[in-house]
């Protein structure tokens, strides 16, 4: 199964305004966040873009609550995907400029992606549930 995951990633769908902001953030990433910024740019490049009012309710957008499982360890976590200045791991808010954050954006419940962790090891992440934030 892992070899299939390496050759075919699930589709990524992004809201246009988020894609623009995330591109700026990724291009300006430096230090430890630079690698995650490059991963994020790769995901943005392959994404289908839609307007916020056309976004399916099951895709991971900024501020979504995501329950996912690290299929390698069997551990599941629930996190909120946030912009770098809003991150607080003690409150379950992970930055888009982390390897996991960059890998989650635009995926949907049921998707599995093989993604590098901070140490560069690829791990399968399975999206179990996505809850959307209230939209303005």
């Amino acid at each position: 199964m892992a070899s299939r995951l390496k050759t075919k990633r699930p589709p990524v769908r992004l809201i246009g305004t988020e894609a623009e902001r995330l591109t700026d953030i990724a291009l300006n990433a430096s230090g430890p966040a630079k690698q995650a910024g490059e991963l994020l740019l790769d995901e943005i490049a392959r994404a289908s873009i839609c307007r916020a009012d056309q976004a399916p309710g099951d895709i991971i957008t900024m501020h979504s609550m995501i329950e996912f499982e690290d299929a390698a360890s069997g551990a599941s976590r629930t996190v909120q995907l946030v912009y770098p200045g809003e991150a607080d791991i003690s409150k379950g808010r992970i930055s888009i400029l982390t390897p996991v954050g960059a890998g989650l954006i635009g995926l949907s419940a049921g998707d599995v992606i093989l993604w590098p962790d901070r140490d560069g090891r690829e791990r399968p992440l399975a999206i179990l549930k996505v809850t959307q934030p209230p939209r303005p």
Side-chain angles (χ1 to χ4, degrees):
M1 183 172 179
S3 62
R4 183 174 64 99
L5 291 173
K6 284 185 183 180
T7 59
K8 183 167 171 57
R9 288 184 174 173
V12 172
R13 293 171 286 176
L14 297 175
I15 296 171
T17 53
E18 286 187 354
E20 290 174 17
R21 184 170 177 192
L22 294 176
T23 298
D24 289 342
I25 289 169
L27 288 171
N28 290 303
S30 61
K34 188 166 178 64
Q35 177 193 12
E38 291 169 1
L39 294 170
L40 180 57
L41 287 171
D42 289 344
E43 292 301 281
I44 293 167
R46 69 183 197 88
S48 299
I49 305 296
C50 63
R51 292 190 333 238
D53 62 349
Q54 297 174 324
D58 67 341
I59 66 165
I60 297 170
T61 61
M62 294 306 296
H63 298 108
S64 292
M65 295 295 295
I66 308 112
E67 182 181 353
F68 69 95
E69 178 181 77
D70 179 334
S73 69
S76 66
R77 292 181 62 193
T78 300
V79 298
Q80 182 178 33
L81 186 62
V82 298
Y83 293 103
E86 302 167 333
D88 184 340
I89 198 66
S90 69
K91 294 182 180 173
R93 295 193 302 241
I94 63 166
S95 172
I96 188 69
L97 279 183
T98 61
V100 169
L104 292 174
I105 190 74
L107 298 181
S108 300
D111 286 343
V112 178
I113 189 167
L114 199 60
W115 202 251
D117 62 17
R118 288 189 183 273
D119 298 324
R121 293 184 309 256
E122 289 192 330
R123 306 179 72 83
L125 302 178
I127 311 306
L128 304 176
K129 182 179 177 183
V130 178
T131 305
Q132 294 300 334
R135 295 270 178 226

